[in-house]
Amino acid sequence: MPKGVGVQPNSTTLIDHADNLLSIATGVLSDYEGLDFSIISLPKRDARQGVLPSKLLPQLVGTLSEKRIASLYFHQTEAIEAALNGHDTCITTGTNSGKSLCYILPTLQWCIEEPIARAMYLFPTKALAQDQHGKITSWLPSKSIRVGVYDGDTPQKERLAIRKFSNIVITNPDMLHVGILPNFENWIPLFKSLRCIVLDEIHTYRGVYGSHVAWVIRRLLRHCEAFGSRPQIIACSATVQNPSEFFTTLTGRDATFIDEDGSPHGRRHFIFANPMPDEDGKEPSRNYLTGKILADWVDQGIRSLAFCRSRVGVELVGKYARDIVSNSGDSAKTPIETYRAGYTPAERREIEAKFASGNLLGLAATSAMELGIDIGGLDSVIMNGYPGTISGFWQQAGRAGRGSRDGVVVFIADDDPLDQFLTSSPNMILASESEPVTINPINRAIASDQIRCMAHERPIAASELLAIGEEALEAAEALDAAGILEQRAGRFYYPSYEAPASGINIRSSGGPIVTLTVDGAELGSMEEWRAHQYAHKGAVYLHRGAAYRSNELQLDQKVAVFESIAATTYTQSIVSSLVQPLVSIRKSTLGSAQIELQGQRVTSQVIGYREKS
């Protein structure tokens, strides 16, 4: 692959004009030894405007005017009109296309027209919910419309007021599953007046998690029906290959689909970079290279976000970038931060606010930053390895070049065969559709868990289960045969007052959470399985540029005790895994190869660790 050629930028350059961005980026990359890269540029797209919907209330037209919005994008107009005409609606347009307005305006209109109207907004993460809370609040035309966030971080003293008085309740599927639906008696006024359910970023509801969420939504709609309401559903998603099939499987309904994106975007320049081994055949550190690019670009005034595939990768990239900036004497001028799961809620919100305000120029993050959290305009995105899906690739790339600004996306190939192939054949990504989103709510294990939850909330008629699928009825009958449910007069009952939802993890994320502490104060948290690898005695844990050593892992108390240390190394656990085939499910032949789908047991054990610099 030919090496890229660029113009060396002046160190005082500021990114005020898009034409300078690619020259500065390639100029920086050209200075790196052993880095081959190629560039593919995609053209800009002009905005396609729509008119203001005729049914939009004058108060909301006035709010738009106050925000200096004279017209909407084409897809926003279509989506709002569909919602106001009573249709379940699904908007599948690109990143930063203004999808939020497609549900905010209809919801506010219903709250103005019907003062007792309620709405529930479901977001896949707490961070996104908090971000959207601020955005929604900024659109309120009247103080009489109340908005509240109800999730695991909501103080107990605020919860009663949110349940009783908030017109718009913002939450997530996890809280809906374990906190709201099992205690539905406390939420009857909301169910009676629920006018709309908003499902944002629904492409994240895939696999096991999405299959559970499909049941959680059905449980919510079931309560609404019992109390006399039929809320509309407005869903938003990044572009997916099978929106109609997926929406129906997720919600049990059909929808009007809006997929013609009317928003503008600038040119996007994709740089596919492949670090080459040195003369001794030693592979370069991708984490160090990502950190160096992040630091160098921040030094040039390029506001950048580096995506990493692991939490450790995030911390290492942040550490390398900070060290490089610090050595240049500009650490105060160009701060760099890290962002990932496991930070405290206060830390996450602090970092989000600093990055959105421009006080941070560089950020290393996991895929947690893929979603639509408003962090302002970015000049570039650096991908430290392929995110695993084409959809994920475009979600991350969509962060570069907000609005009509140009953006640069750098893909740094890992040394695995897939990354190497994609770097040599970049059009395999750029010209491909996003993958279909696949869920299977009638999976026996998932259906059995959720049917228990449903039966605890209200006895289930066999006809309800048949409407979901014959497999759902078969799962309920099996639970009845096992004595877990009781069938009487054509309905299935759960014979216990204790809600089963608290013991069912809809994300299958690995069990209980371990709290990390330093001098008695909370440092962060991680799943128990992850604590075995990263919080065992002697482990060095990196957190926002600081190092901590674990003195004790108390699994019975779900606490890991750390102390602050000055370290230039980190630890990497040595994990031994044993894979045991249990049952053969299906066999097939592909050419000369034999393919078999098996049920397996995987046992992993941490047997030691090594220190790395």
Side-chain angles (χ1 to χ4, degrees), residues 409-420:
V409 180
V410 179
F411 171 68
I412 300 174
D414 208 340
D415 59 356
D416 65 68
L418 178 58
D419 279 39
Q420 292 295 308

Side-chain angles (χ1 to χ4, degrees), residues 318-460:
K319 175 183 180 298
Y320 297 141
R322 288 189 191 98
D323 289 346
I324 293 169
V325 171
S326 179
N327 291 337
S328 71
D330 291 334
S331 57
K333 178 183 175 184
T334 55
I336 292 173
E337 261 288 6
T338 51
Y339 183 96
R340 59 171 177 79
Y343 289 176
T344 65
E347 284 180 312
R348 292 197 305 268
R349 289 165 196 166
E350 174 200 353
I351 296 166
E352 292 160 10
K354 287 168 67 177
F355 201 48
S357 67
N359 291 328
L360 290 177
L361 290 181
L363 185 68
T366 58
S367 58
M369 198 53 84
E370 279 183 16
L371 301 180
I373 300 171
D374 187 1
I375 53 175
L378 292 179
D379 298 307
S380 78
V381 162
I382 307 163
M383 296 185 195
N384 185 12
Y386 182 56
T389 63
I390 294 172
S391 175
F393 179 92
W394 284 109
Q395 279 292 107
Q396 294 183 5
R399 286 295 199 177
R402 310 294 276 179
S404 59
R405 291 170 62 98
D406 280 16
V408 169
V409 180
V410 179
F411 171 68
I412 300 174
D414 208 340
D415 59 356
D416 65 68
L418 178 58
D419 279 39
Q420 292 295 308
F421 170 74
L422 293 175
T423 306
S424 64
S425 306
N427 282 321
M428 288 293 295
I429 301 177
L430 301 182
S432 297
E433 289 187 69
S434 296
E435 301 86 355
V437 180
T438 303
I439 58 175
N440 183 22
I442 56 175
N443 172 278
R444 176 60 68 90
I446 293 170
S448 297
D449 281 344
Q450 289 293 332
I451 287 170
R452 287 192 290 134
C453 298
M454 186 179 281
H456 171 266
E457 293 157 14
R458 182 176 290 105
I460 312 172

